[in-house]
């Protein structure tokens, strides 16, 4: 059975303190790994799609990487506005059903 | 460019009632997926509509049904509501590309509370 596990469940950072979030997956045929950001009570906001091991993508203070078993979301010098829940999801078929992890809640304090 | 819109924003229903949630996809998108997100959990896939037909379905009972209209908008219907149906219901739209390059964009969600 396909599984997506995110760690840690929660992360508290000081402003400027860089860190990484982990998304490990066990799936039968990855056809895309997606990272989303979700603010409380709102819908997920698309960040990145990664398709193959070794791929990296960056956006402002965020950088996503992918290996054959896991993905990392690196947050460099975070600011309080980076506080959110970060979700990863995998796609394993051509129709696009996403299977999500439970998310990592990030709090960045000034 | 309007993004994905959903209505209503919030809804309170009584156990046993029926509810209809609505979604308009992002301009240019032809596929709509629905997800249920319980508090503190990741979204769970309910079903996906393409060309007005249900193409995929997750592990949800038949009480959950949907529809897609010719303009690509969609409805999610839930019958015989249970307390456990209380959740944030998310609609996501995408442009189906079987070559693999596409993303799902989510709406703001409808918060359903069943009392």
């Amino acid at each position: 059975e396909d599984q997506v596990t995110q760690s840690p469940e929660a992360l508290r950072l000081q402003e400027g303190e860089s860190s990484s979030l982990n998304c490990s997956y066990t799936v039968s045929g990855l056809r895309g790994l997606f990272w989303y950001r979700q603010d409380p009570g709102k819908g997920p906001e698309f960040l990145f799609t990664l398709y193959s091991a070794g791929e990296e993508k960056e956006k402002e203070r965020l950088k996503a990487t992918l290996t054959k078993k896991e993905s990392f979301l690196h947050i460099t010098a975070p600011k309080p506005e980076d506080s959110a829940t970060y979700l990863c999801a995998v796609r394993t078929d051509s129709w696009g059903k996403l299977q999500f992890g439970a998310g990592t809640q990030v709090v960045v304090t000034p | 460019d309007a993004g994905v819109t959903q209505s209503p924003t919030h809804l309170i229903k009584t156990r046993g009632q029926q509810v209809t949630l609505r979604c308009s996809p992002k301009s240019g998108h032809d596929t709509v997926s629905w997800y249920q997100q319980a508090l503190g959990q990741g979204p769970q896939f309910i079903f996906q509509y393409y060309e007005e037909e249900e193409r995929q379905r997750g592990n949800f009972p038949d009480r959950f049904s949907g529809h897609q209209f010719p303009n690509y908008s969609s409805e999610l219907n839930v019958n015989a509501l249970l307390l456990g149906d209380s959740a944030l219901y998310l609609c996501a739209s995408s442009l189906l590309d079987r070559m693999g390059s596409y993303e799902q964009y989510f709406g703001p969600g409808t918060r359903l509370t069943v009392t």
Side-chain angles (χ1 to χ4, degrees):
Chain A
E1 183 179 328
D2 296 344
Q3 279 198 320
V4 181
T5 304
Q6 291 189 247
S7 62
E9 292 182 6
L11 191 60
R12 192 173 185 89
L13 301 171
Q14 290 279 348
E15 184 171 2
E17 178 188 0
S18 301
S19 188
S20 294
L21 283 54
N22 178 266
C23 172
S24 63
Y25 60 91
T26 306
V27 300
S28 52
L30 183 71
R31 300 189 67 163
L33 186 141
F34 301 78
W35 282 99
Y36 288 85
R37 168 196 169 122
Q38 187 174 29
D39 293 311
K42 298 189 177 181
E45 174 189 346
F46 172 76
L47 293 174
F48 304 110
T49 310
L50 302 167
Y51 288 101
S52 55
E55 190 174 358
E56 299 182 351
K57 288 193 177 174
E58 287 188 70
K59 179 180 180 180
E60 296 180 357
R61 295 177 293 282
L62 301 177
K63 179 180 177 180
T65 62
L66 182 65
T67 72
K68 288 186 178 180
K69 293 185 178 181
E70 57 192 349
S71 177
F72 293 93
L73 183 66
H74 309 277
I75 310 178
T76 301
K79 298 182 177 181
E81 52 262 43
D82 294 322
S83 297
T85 295
Y86 291 86
L87 297 163
C88 79
V90 297
R91 174 190 170 199
T92 57
D93 61 42
S94 61
W95 288 106
K97 163 189 170 182
L98 294 181
Q99 181 172 347
F100 282 85
T104 294
Q105 184 179 25
V106 174
V107 174
V108 182
T109 57
Chain B
D1 178 25
V4 180
T5 60
Q6 293 185 243
S7 63
T9 305
H10 296 88
L11 205 51
I12 299 175
K13 289 287 189 177
T14 302
R15 189 172 47 186
Q17 286 187 317
Q18 177 265 342
V19 68
T20 297
L21 310 181
R22 295 177 176 82
C23 171
S24 290
K26 183 178 169 67
S27 178
H29 286 183
D30 59 4
T31 303
V32 173
S33 302
W34 287 91
Y35 294 81
Q36 180 196 65
Q37 186 176 26
L39 205 58
Q41 297 182 19
Q44 298 292 315
F45 177 78
I46 302 175
F47 43 52
Q48 182 185 75
Y49 278 85
Y50 172 69
E51 292 187 340
E52 302 179 48
E53 290 190 15
E54 184 183 293
R55 295 291 174 167
Q56 276 189 310
R57 188 178 184 91
N59 294 325
F60 280 81
D62 292 345
R63 297 188 297 110
F64 290 76
S65 63
H67 189 77
Q68 186 179 34
F69 299 93
N71 67 352
Y72 307 119
S73 66
S74 177
E75 288 183 348
L76 164 65
N77 300 292
V78 187
N79 294 322
L81 285 167
L82 303 174
L83 296 179
D85 294 332
S86 295
L88 182 67
Y89 287 85
L90 296 163
C91 168
S93 76
S94 54
L95 182 61
L96 190 61
D97 176 358
R98 295 181 194 183
M99 297 307 291
S101 178
Y102 88 122
E103 295 90 22
Q104 292 187 18
Y105 291 86
F106 284 82
T110 293
R111 171 68 65 186
L112 173 65
T113 302
V114 182
T115 63

